[in-house]
Amino acid sequence: MRAWLPSLLRAALLAILLAFLVSPGWFEPLLKPLVQDNAPAIYNQGSLLTLTLLHLRTVAIATIAAIIVAVTLAILVTRPFGAEFLPLSRSLVNVGQTFPPVAVLALAVPALGFGEKPTLVALFLYGLLPIFENTLTGLTTLPPSVMEAARGAGMTDRQRLFRVELPLAMPVILAGVRLSVVISLATATIGSTVAAKTLGEVIIAGLQSNNIAFVLQGGLIVGALAVLIYDGLSAIEAVLARRAGL
Amino acid sequence: MSLRLDKLGVVIALLVAYGTLVAPFATFRANRIVPGEAKSILAALPVGAGVVLLGLMVVAAAIILLKTPALLRLAAAAVSLGAIALFIGLTATYLTPPENTYARVSPASGFWVLLFANALLAADSITRLRPRPGVRVLLLLATLAGATAILVSGLWDGLSILKEYAGRADVFWLEAGRHVALALGSLFASVVVGLPLGILCHRVEPLRAGVLNTLNLIQTIPSIALFGILIAPLGWIAVNVPGAAAIGIRGIGAAPAFVALFLYSLLPVVANTVVGLAGVPREANEAARGIGMTDRQRLFGIELPLAMPVILTGIRIVLVQNIGLATIAALIGGGGFGVFVFQGIGQTAMDLVLLGAVPTVVLAFAAAIVLDALIEMNTPSQNRGRTA
C-alpha cells in the first residue's frame, strides 16, 4: 500500500488545486467560517486562475533566464580560461545570498518602475545562486577516472563537456533548478508589494482587509504549486540519474 | 611584478571606468520625491576634489588591470572604497544650496558601480590571501568601524538617506531593536527546539521522514502568507488563553512574525543536525563505546562536537534568512527595518527604502561573515587547507 500512497496524494492535491482554480465557488462553504459577516470568502478582485498563470509565467521566465546564465557562468569558471574567476565566483554566490528579497525588489523599483520587471530581476538573482552553486558542484566533483577515460578516448574539450561532463552533472544541476523554482514561487508573492500581478496580490488584499480567507487561499495555492512542481522535478531528476547510471 | 593582464582585473577595471567616466556619481533633487538631475564626478565635486578622485580611480584601475600582489590589490580596494565614501559625503555639501532643507543629494548609479567594483576587488583579493577566520572578522570590524567613524563625523549628514534618518532617529533605533530581536529570538527558539528534535530524529529512524517532510512543507508556504495565516490562531490564543495577551501575544504584530520565522528556521536546524550526526564516523562512536562512555557522554563528548560544523552551517542559513525575512514582518505590524522599506515603496521615496534596506543587508552580511568564521574554527584542521 505504501508505494502508491504518495502518488495518490499528489494526484488528489492536483485535482483539488485545479478544481479550486477553475471553480473557486465550490469551496466557499469551507472558507466562509474564516471571514466576518459579509466579507467575501473567495478572492473577488480578479480571477484566481489568471493570477496563478501570471505567477507561473513570472517564475518560469525568471528561472529560464537564471538557468541559462548560471549554467553558462559555471561552465566558464570551470574551464582553464576562466579558472581565475572560480574562487571569487564562489564567494560572490555566498555574499549574494545575504541580500534580502524585499530589499532587492524595492531597490530595483527606481530603475525599472513598479510591476513585473523588478520582480523578474529579484527572482532571476535569487534563482541564479542555487543553480550556479549546484552546477559548480556537479562539474567539479566528476570522478577523475571518467574524465581520464574521456580524454583517453580522444574526445575534444567540447565533446567532453557536452557528452560527459554535463550529462553526469545533470542530476545535481536539476536539484539546483528545483530548489530555485521553489524559492522563486514563494518569493514571487513578495513581488506584489511592488504591484506585480502574482498570487501575492490575493495575500496582500487579505492582509489589508483583515480577511484570513484571502491570505489562506493565496498561500495554499502557492504552497500546492510548490509541492507539485518540486515532486515533478524530483521525478525527472530520478529518471535522469538512473539513465546516467548514478 | 610582471606586466601581464589579470583577467578578472580587466572586468573590474571596465566597471571602474564605466562608474567613473560614464555613469553619474550623484543625483540632485529639488525635493524628496521629484526626479533628479544626474551629476558626473566633476560636476558633483569641487574642481580639486573631483580631479583627485578621478586620479585615484585611474591609479586603482592600473593596479587592478595588471597582475599585482593580492595585498596591493586589497590596499587599492580599501583606499578606493574609503575615497568613494568620503567624496560622496562631499558632494552633498557641495551640491546642496546653503540654507536649503528640501534639496536632496543621493548617490547615483556611478557611485554604486564603483562601490560594487571595489567591493568585488576586495572580495577577490581577500579570497586570494585566504586569511584565517579571525582575521576575516577583524577586517569586517575594521570596515564597520570606518563606516561608523564617517557616520559620527557627520560627513554623510547631507546625504538623502541620512536626512530620512534624521527625521526619525528614535523610530529607527526602535525598529532596529525589533528587527534584531525578531531575527535572533526566533533563531534561539529554533535552536532550542530544533537541536533536540534533530537528535531525536537521528536516534529514532521512523520519525525522521515524517518530521523532515512536514518541515519541508512549511517552507513551501510563502512568507507573507504564513505571517498572515498565523494572525488567526494567535489572535484566538490572545483572547482565550489567560495570561497570553499579557506576555505580548497578539493576532497582529511581532507574535505571528516570531512564530513564522521560528517555523521557517526549524528545517535547516533539524535537517543539518540529522545530517551532521549521520556523518559522525562509525569508528569514533565505537571507540567511545569501547572505552565505556554512556550514551549521554557520547552525545555531548563525541557526536555533537563532530557534527558541530554542519549544525553551525544550518544556523548560519537560518540567521541570514531570518534577518532578510524579518523585513516582511512590517506588513503585519511586526516592526523591523521593513517598516521603512514598505513606507518608502508606498511614498515612492527611495531614500526611505534605502534607510530600511541598507542596514538589513549590512546586518545579514556581517552575520554571514561571523558565522562563516565560526564554522571554519570548528572544522577539524585537516579540512581547512592552508589556513590551518
Side-chain angles (χ1 to χ4, degrees):
Chain A
M1 163 196 141
R2 290 249 150 180
W4 50 260
L5 190 63
S7 316
L8 190 72
L9 283 176
R10 250 167 249 150
L13 180 62
L14 182 63
I16 295 174
L17 177 66
L18 287 177
F20 187 78
L21 290 178
V22 173
S23 170
W26 294 348
F27 295 82
E28 201 170 346
L30 278 175
L31 292 165
K32 201 75 198 164
L34 293 171
V35 291
Q36 280 137 7
D37 312 326
N38 293 321
I42 299 293
Y43 188 64
N44 54 1
Q45 291 151 36
S47 144
L48 282 173
L49 183 61
T50 317
L51 280 178
T52 306
L53 292 177
L54 285 173
H55 191 106
L56 288 175
R57 191 187 71 174
T58 309
V59 171
I61 295 174
T63 307
I64 290 170
I67 293 176
I68 295 172
V69 174
V71 173
T72 313
L73 278 181
I75 292 177
L76 281 182
V77 299
T78 48
R79 301 305 103 187
F81 172 80
E84 273 180 49
F85 296 86
L86 183 59
L88 177 71
S89 60
R90 279 227 161 98
S91 45
L92 263 190
V93 166
N94 244 332
V95 172
Q97 267 155 343
T98 60
F99 279 73
V102 178
V104 173
L105 265 179
L107 296 178
V109 167
L112 302 166
F114 283 91
E116 200 188 8
K117 280 187 203 150
T119 314
L120 279 175
V121 169
L123 292 188
F124 167 72
L125 288 178
Y126 279 91
L128 274 183
L129 305 172
I131 303 174
F132 179 75
E133 203 161 13
N134 277 37
T135 311
L136 215 52
T137 313
L139 289 177
T140 49
T141 54
L142 294 170
S145 54
V146 176
M147 298 302 294
E148 282 300 314
R151 238 175 255 130
M155 286 174 126
T156 63
D157 284 355
R158 199 194 163 83
Q159 285 173 327
R160 270 214 314 277
L161 175 65
F162 286 103
R163 299 218 192 131
V164 181
E165 295 180 52
L166 281 180
L168 278 179
M170 198 48 79
V172 191
I173 299 177
L174 269 181
V177 172
R178 193 176 48 162
L179 196 61
S180 152
V181 169
V182 171
I183 296 174
S184 291
L185 278 169
T187 312
T189 55
I190 304 176
S192 291
T193 56
V194 293
K197 284 258 168 208
T198 73
L199 287 164
E201 214 173 88
V202 183
I203 301 168
I204 290 172
L207 288 176
Q208 279 165 350
S209 59
N210 215 349
N211 186 328
I212 300 290
F214 283 9
V215 176
L216 201 63
Q217 57 198 271
L220 288 182
I221 294 174
V222 177
L225 286 174
V227 169
L228 289 170
I229 293 176
Y230 185 91
D231 283 349
L233 289 175
S234 305
I236 297 177
E237 222 176 285
V239 170
L240 280 178
R242 218 174 301 139
R243 203 173 291 169
L246 294 172
Chain B
M1 194 192 304
S2 64
L3 285 182
R4 277 177 42 226
L5 290 183
D6 183 280
K7 281 177 204 151
L8 179 69
V10 174
V11 177
I12 297 181
L14 282 176
L15 278 176
V16 169
Y18 175 80
T20 320
L21 304 172
V22 184
F25 189 59
T27 311
F28 174 82
R29 283 168 302 163
N31 66 49
R32 185 168 176 239
I33 49 176
V34 295
E37 255 176 79
K39 304 267 187 189
S40 70
I41 287 187
L42 287 177
L45 286 164
V47 182
V51 173
V52 169
L53 184 57
L54 279 182
L56 258 175
M57 289 302 134
V58 171
V59 174
I63 295 177
I64 299 165
L65 209 50
L66 299 172
K67 275 202 188 299
T68 39
L71 209 54
L72 179 64
R73 300 169 78 82
L74 182 58
V79 171
S80 304
L81 284 174
I84 301 167
L86 291 176
F87 282 107
I88 195 70
L90 274 186
T91 59
T93 1
Y94 177 68
L95 288 178
T96 313
E99 306 299 317
N100 182 338
T101 50
Y102 297 107
R104 294 300 178 109
V105 176
S106 35
S109 57
F111 170 83
W112 297 113
V113 170
L114 286 177
L115 192 69
F116 173 70
N118 281 295
L120 211 58
L121 177 64
D124 179 55
S125 35
I126 292 175
T127 316
R128 290 187 199 189
L129 285 170
R130 295 216 240 161
R132 286 155 184 271
V135 177
R136 290 206 304 265
V137 175
L138 278 182
L139 279 174
L140 170 73
L141 287 178
T143 314
L144 290 180
T148 315
I150 299 183
L151 273 175
V152 172
S153 74
L155 187 69
W156 282 342
D157 281 357
L159 289 177
S160 53
I161 174 170
L162 280 170
K163 289 202 169 162
E164 294 290 343
Y165 167 76
R168 38 176 83 73
D170 298 345
V171 187
F172 179 85
W173 289 109
L174 180 75
E175 300 299 357
R178 284 169 142 190
H179 197 104
V180 173
L182 261 181
L184 286 183
S186 55
L187 168 72
F188 182 72
S190 70
V191 172
V192 168
V193 176
L195 207 56
L197 193 59
I199 295 171
L200 195 69
C201 284
H202 172 67
R203 304 228 156 158
V204 188
E205 167 91 51
L207 212 60
R208 203 176 301 162
V211 169
L212 289 178
N213 283 341
T214 313
L215 294 179
N216 252 322
L217 269 184
I218 295 176
Q219 303 276 324
T220 65
I221 304 173
S223 45
I224 47 175
L226 187 57
F227 282 49
I229 291 168
L230 287 167
I231 293 175
L234 286 169
W236 186 85
I237 291 174
V239 175
N240 293 294
V241 177
I247 57 166
I249 293 179
R250 265 174 213 90
I252 55 163
F258 184 90
V259 177
L261 289 182
F262 164 74
L263 288 175
Y264 281 129
S265 309
L266 274 179
L267 179 71
V269 174
V270 175
N272 279 42
T273 308
V274 171
V275 171
L277 289 176
V280 173
R282 186 192 295 259
E283 302 83 37
N285 264 323
E286 301 210 322
R289 266 195 215 102
I291 58 168
M293 280 175 125
T294 63
D295 258 14
R296 198 193 161 81
Q297 285 171 327
R298 205 157 48 79
L299 178 65
F300 288 103
I302 307 288
E303 290 187 298
L304 280 182
L306 282 178
M308 199 40 82
V310 185
I311 297 176
L312 278 175
T313 310
I315 291 178
R316 175 202 189 274
I317 296 173
V318 167
L319 184 56
V320 170
Q321 172 185 299
N322 278 5
I323 291 173
L325 276 178
T327 43
I328 307 214
L331 276 182
I332 51 164
F337 289 128
V339 170
F340 306 121
V341 174
F342 289 117
Q343 267 177 18
I345 293 177
Q347 306 171 2
T348 54
M350 282 310 135
D351 305 329
L352 191 51
V353 171
L354 280 177
L355 182 64
V358 171
T360 315
V361 172
V362 171
L363 215 55
F365 184 62
I369 291 188
V370 171
L371 276 167
D372 276 339
L374 264 181
I375 293 168
E376 211 175 305
M377 288 178 196
N378 274 286
T379 308
S381 48
Q382 70 266 25
N383 303 338
R384 239 191 266 165
R386 237 190 63 189
T387 48

